[in-house]
Amino acid sequence: MTSRWGRRHRGCDADVMMRIDLHTHTSASDGTDEPRSVGVLAAAVGLDVVAVTDHDTTAGWDAAIAGAPAGVRVVPGVEFSCVVGEGERRVSVHLLGYLFDRAEPRFAAERRRLRLDRTDRGRRIVERLTTAGVPIEWPAVQRLAGGAPIGRPHIAGALVTAGASSTVDDAFETWLRPGGPYYVRKRDVDVRDGIAMVLAAGGVPVFAHPRARKRGRVVTDDVIRELAAAGLAGIEVDHVDHDAADRVELRTLAGELGLIMTGSSDYHGTNKAVPLGANTTDPQAYAEICRRASGTQPARC
Ligand code: AMP
Ligand code: FE
Ligand code: FE
Ligand code: ZN
């Protein structure tokens, strides 16, 4: 088919009926489903395409691809922690990278650095909690993570197990919110460098949930304009953390800047309430992502 951008895409025949979810997490990061189950779960909710976008790791790719049933395409990706601005103006942002070459050394090294930093930062959060008398132990956090890069959801899970919080949500609210006394930042890369790294590895960079205000401060539209000029390919428009007005404004901005618009669940299994396939991506947008990628292509394309 011919895409909205007027060129035939390579590799991916995306037909208009396809249901596509381009943002999910597995137990390779802070989701609760094993990577090998993602394709089966996707098929069960009527998805044809599912991206695996674990935080700062590609460790789930192979199992996700191997476990997908016939008819489900797996898009290998990552959700990469980045930052915009400094000091008072610092905003933490998440960059989705799709279909990049995971062996490209610079990006691979940055993901490795981020994973190590997550361990260091997780320990420091646990130390702060312990010092305050909260009954949480680092080995319990490590057990919950099961070798995955440590995320606050793992610490939240350990807080629930220890009886310090009633739910993961409550743990975030009480102990783990940014700016709170127990919060420790990650040492994230500037998002412009993040975009450059994804592009240099043949991938397609998409700004995840740019208006997710409940997670903290968000960037202005002018920052998105600058990032589009720096090579950002798309923005996630349909996301559980965006209200109707956000979505309308982001569509207008994407139209102005020629950005690809995506929609996704940001599924985390039982770590979050949102179901797989809660938001989906237009097949033409998916086809455009495939067309622009040179790192790898979706499995079962
Ligand atoms: P981290 O990457 O360690 O800073 O943790 C951020 C992760 O925590 C993101 O993947 C979010 O999806 C998740 N998260 C943020 N707030 C909540 C919440 N209230 N309940 C469950 N998960 C959350
Ligand atoms: Fe997460
Ligand atoms: Fe995110
Ligand atoms: Zn996510």
Side-chain angles (χ1 to χ4, degrees):
M1 74 189 264
T2 301
S3 82
R4 167 189 303 160
W5 284 266
R7 270 177 280 180
R8 264 186 85 77
H9 50 79
R10 169 176 60 79
C12 283
D13 277 324
D15 79 56
V16 290
M17 297 303 287
M18 273 185 154
R19 294 193 68 239
I20 300 157
D21 186 341
L22 288 184
H23 183 167
T24 73
H25 297 266
T26 74
S27 57
S29 67
D30 58 4
T32 55
D33 294 302
E34 289 188 21
R36 68 186 155 118
S37 329
V38 168
V40 173
L41 294 168
V45 297
L47 289 169
D48 304 284
V49 179
V50 63
V52 174
T53 53
D54 280 306
H55 295 285
D56 309 323
T57 182
T58 62
W61 285 14
D62 294 338
I65 291 165
V72 173
R73 299 176 194 179
V74 172
V75 178
V78 76
E79 187 173 19
F80 187 39
S81 303
C82 300
V83 67
V84 177
E86 289 169 28
E88 290 289 286
R89 296 161 66 92
R90 185 184 198 275
V91 182
S92 164
V93 301
H94 287 173
L95 190 66
L96 293 158
Y98 295 111
L99 299 169
F100 57 89
D101 173 7
R102 65 177 147 179
E104 191 282 319
R106 184 160 168 247
F107 190 26
E110 180 55 24
R111 292 193 303 277
R112 198 171 318 117
R113 187 195 68 77
L114 274 166
R115 293 195 297 271
L116 290 172
D117 184 54
R118 279 179 169 280
T119 305
D120 183 49
R121 172 257 202 165
R123 269 185 203 278
R124 289 165 61 208
I125 294 177
V126 168
E127 270 166 29
R128 288 189 180 198
L129 289 164
T130 312
T131 305
V134 181
I136 178 174
E137 288 178 7
W138 176 243
V141 176
Q142 283 182 303
R143 255 195 316 279
L144 274 179
I150 306 284
R152 280 180 292 155
H154 303 123
I155 303 175
L159 285 165
V160 172
T161 308
S165 299
S166 51
T167 61
V168 165
D169 243 9
D170 175 48
F172 266 88
E173 201 50 46
T174 311
W175 308 110
L176 299 173
R177 71 195 145 75
Y182 313 101
Y183 183 76
V184 179
R185 279 184 195 153
K186 299 191 296 310
R187 286 184 286 266
D188 296 332
V189 69
D190 185 279
V191 70
R192 290 166 192 80
D193 294 334
I195 289 169
M197 279 187 244
V198 173
L199 290 171
V204 183
V206 172
F207 193 154
H209 45 72
R211 294 280 185 100
R213 282 177 298 272
K214 74 169 199 187
R215 297 159 188 253
R217 267 206 310 268
V218 299
V219 300
T220 61
D221 289 357
D222 278 344
V223 169
I224 296 178
R225 289 189 181 92
E226 283 169 31
L227 298 181
L232 182 70
I235 52 177
E236 201 171 54
V237 171
D238 291 310
H239 184 279
V240 65
D241 292 348
H242 293 166
D243 64 23
D246 290 326
R247 296 177 193 211
V248 169
E249 287 163 22
L250 287 170
R251 276 184 211 291
T252 305
L253 187 64
E256 175 200 321
L257 299 172
L259 291 169
I260 299 168
M261 291 176 249
T262 67
S264 326
S265 63
D266 201 354
Y267 175 71
H268 279 70
T270 58
N271 269 346
K272 274 192 178 176
V274 63
L276 195 56
N279 286 292
T280 55
T281 294
D282 183 294
Q284 290 195 344
Y286 164 63
E288 181 63 15
I289 288 171
C290 295
R291 194 190 64 73
R292 291 196 197 180
S294 60
T296 181
Q297 282 290 310
R300 296 182 204 286
C301 201

